[in-house]
Amino acid sequence: MTGKYFDYNATTPIDPSVRENLTNWASEWGNPSSIHWAGRGPKLLLREARLKLATALGVSPLELVFTSGGSESNTTVLKSVFKTSSRGHFLTSQVEHPSIAKTMQALAVNGAKVDFIPVSREGVLDLDFYSEKLSTETALVSVMTANNETGHIFPVGQLAESARQVGALFHTDAVQALAKIPVSLKEWKVDYASFSAHKCYALKGVGLLYARKGALIESLILGGGQERHRRGGTENVLGIAAFGHMAEKFSLLEKESGSQVRELRDHLEKRICSEISGVLVNGPGSPRLPNTSSLIISDVDGETLLMSLDLKGYAVSTGAACSSGNPEPSPTLLAMGLTRAEAQSSLRISLGVSQTEAQVDEFVETLKAIVVRLRSLGESGVGRRGSQDFVGSRGGVSV
Ligand SMILES: Cc1ncc(COP(=O)(O)O)c(C=O)c1O
């Protein structure tokens, strides 16, 4: 079925080598915190995974904290800095994942001053706004490495450098970047970074938080003092072992992303734009993840398109109405200056390492036929959902 899966930014299939090893890892069922014999095997799995991830990221194993996912890593950093910093100002972008955006909003309700950096129609961060707002009052800057919807990449090293000059901490949500583009934590000199295993062909429910040596982490979850008191709760040994296993393949995956996957994505966009009228790529000239294509397909409702593709066995994402149970178009696309109608006509296609040109070509043929049919029916629904009385949204989550 993965031949018809075009939603790798939502999650990736599990790597066959992970599947093969699962029973092995599961045989270490003891509690890694136990001092007796049953704890030794799982403790070793954790240690090995931490080391492999640290090696892949070029950091010390002591700088890594296992969490339940990217959302928890993000929330931990924001809440921890809010609680422990003597400064009250936070800076983030207008296009962050909801785990950042909503936590920032919650901090604002609790007294933080939060500024959201705008982006241009091309998906480029407003650096003048950033410089104006950054001050010695800024506790933390949090800007993602790459956007989950458009794939746009932000200049993390440069942003972190400016933050450092005013003594502010810097966090990046690198969930979508890992194993797709180089992630250079030490070169960028960030204080914190978040990762998620299920975007890297490993299992769901495991995340990683990088906290530079000396960068404080106040645990979000209080418990038995696991992860050097930085994250309470018995570790997800199986998922962590799988993540560590995949860490040994990050550089290969990254290489494939930068070559085969990029070529496929470019081929896909070229075909779609030349063979389907009224299609625009969102910010094609800005730095982008090699696997992601965010499109506006005019006069077609994104959700209707998604469902029609689903009926043909294809999995994609819409750029609209993808916040759970929420008829609003994607805040990311609106922040880029798209109209509601444009955002509702958006489609996100995200590719992965095992796909072939034949699969992409088949997908394009199906998409073409569906777009022609929907346009001929004249039932796009675009625009109607922008009205006040729209009630018919289907659920979904922004991933
Ligand atoms: C940019 C970004 N940050 C954070 C997350 C959340 O990661 P997780 O699903 O592991 O909580 C996602 C995934 O949806 C994401 O795309």
Side-chain angles (χ1 to χ4, degrees), residues 59-337:
V59 301
S60 157
L62 297 178
E63 294 176 306
L64 298 179
V65 180
F66 289 117
T67 65
S68 67
S71 302
E72 187 190 322
S73 299
N74 284 343
T75 310
T76 300
V77 174
L78 269 49
K79 292 202 168 173
S80 168
V81 174
F82 179 66
K83 265 181 97 173
T84 56
S85 176
S86 56
R87 301 177 176 194
H89 178 231
F90 288 72
L91 256 170
T92 190
S93 84
Q94 285 185 354
V95 296
E96 298 294 316
H97 185 264
S99 54
I100 294 285
K102 290 183 184 173
T103 308
M104 285 290 188
Q105 283 155 13
L107 298 190
V109 168
N110 285 289
K113 180 173 175 351
V114 184
D115 283 308
F116 294 87
I117 312 161
V119 293
S120 71
R121 186 67 175 74
E122 289 298 305
V124 176
L125 211 63
D126 185 338
L127 294 179
D128 291 336
F129 181 97
Y130 179 58
S131 310
E132 271 166 36
K133 295 291 177 185
L134 195 60
S135 79
T136 50
E137 278 306 301
T138 309
L140 178 78
V141 177
S142 179
V143 175
M144 66 203 325
T145 312
N147 185 269
N148 42 306
E149 291 182 50
T150 61
H152 287 127
I153 298 169
F154 299 114
V156 169
Q158 185 187 341
L159 299 169
E161 164 69 28
S162 306
R164 213 166 33 255
Q165 282 170 9
V166 295
L169 292 163
F170 191 94
H171 165 252
T172 189
D173 172 349
V175 164
Q176 290 292 345
L178 190 60
K180 292 181 190 140
I181 56 168
V183 171
S184 317
L185 300 177
K186 290 293 174 190
E187 191 188 314
W188 296 340
K189 296 197 173 86
V190 300
D191 298 289
Y192 304 104
S194 304
F195 304 97
S196 176
H198 74 95
K199 312 284 185 180
C200 310
Y201 306 86
L203 303 180
K204 285 151 197 68
V206 175
L208 192 65
L209 170 54
Y210 162 75
R212 174 190 51 76
K213 187 169 181 272
L216 196 66
I217 281 295
E218 175 137 318
S219 186
L220 190 66
I221 301 172
L222 301 177
Q226 288 90 348
E227 297 295 298
R228 295 174 175 256
H229 299 276
R230 292 173 296 179
R231 200 274 185 177
T234 302
E235 295 89 345
N236 177 348
V237 177
L238 194 60
I240 291 170
F243 199 14
H245 172 84
M246 286 312 295
E248 294 189 309
K249 301 186 178 209
F250 285 167
S251 61
L252 185 68
L253 290 169
E254 195 189 298
K255 230 166 113 193
E256 285 182 24
S257 263
S259 49
Q260 293 102 296
V261 178
R262 181 187 298 277
E263 279 164 28
L264 273 188
R265 193 274 313 269
D266 292 349
H267 172 73
L268 171 110
E269 285 185 349
K270 202 166 157 200
R271 276 206 64 188
I272 290 178
C273 291
S274 62
E275 296 174 37
I276 306 176
S277 63
V279 178
L280 267 183
V281 181
N282 283 315
S286 305
R288 277 193 298 160
L289 290 176
N291 78 318
T292 307
S293 186
S294 168
L295 306 172
I296 304 171
I297 305 182
S298 64
D299 300 323
V300 176
D301 176 59
E303 246 179 78
T304 311
L305 189 54
L306 183 149
M307 286 182 289
S308 307
L309 282 165
D310 186 25
L311 286 173
K312 298 279 179 195
Y314 284 103
V316 294
S317 231
T318 57
C322 61
S323 282
S324 39
N326 179 354
E328 289 300 306
S330 146
T332 292
L333 298 179
L334 292 182
M336 287 172 64

